[in-house]
Amino acid sequence: QVQVVESGGGLVQAGGSLRLSCATSGRTFSIYAMGWFRQAPGKEREFVAAITWSAGNTYYGDSVKGRFTISRDNAKNTVYLQMNSLKPEDTAGYYCAASPYGGVSYYSPGTYSYWGRGTQVTVSS
């Protein structure tokens, strides 16, 4: 099992920045990639970003490209999501997830086996 815990959410004005953290524990050696998803009320879960644990390959959703950056600290078993130029439409619960699978599409929630409980990000206009 892998435990996933997000932190760093909060309230920020439009144009501001936040950094989310995602700490993992347990069988972290089984993790191949980490991803961030978000979900706003009444909407489907949306892919935000992903990173492969070893090579550091990154993937981004179209709505956050150029504004968000995903990174990882292997020594700390932690993944970060730096969010800049935030917009009100970025308001959502942000969820971190771990995938034990390589060579798959990291854009799909079904790729991930372990999920955190989420952290709320609210962007005011």
Side-chain angles (χ1 to χ4, degrees), residues 44-69:
E44 292 187 355
R45 188 159 292 193
E46 177 189 9
F47 171 76
V48 176
I51 187 167
T52 57
W53 204 245
S54 179
N57 297 324
T58 58
Y59 309 85
Y60 293 96
D62 288 341
S63 61
V64 306
K65 280 181 183 176
R67 299 188 299 124
F68 291 12
T69 302

Side-chain angles (χ1 to χ4, degrees), residues 64-105:
V64 306
K65 280 181 183 176
R67 299 188 299 124
F68 291 12
T69 302
I70 189 170
S71 62
R72 89 269 192 234
D73 184 330
N74 294 53
K76 295 183 178 180
N77 292 323
T78 299
V79 172
Y80 304 98
L81 185 68
Q82 179 65 43
M83 306 185 296
N84 298 329
S85 302
L86 283 161
K87 305 175 182 179
E89 50 264 45
D90 294 318
T91 295
Y94 282 71
Y95 298 86
C96 183
S99 173
Y101 305 114
V104 297
S105 170

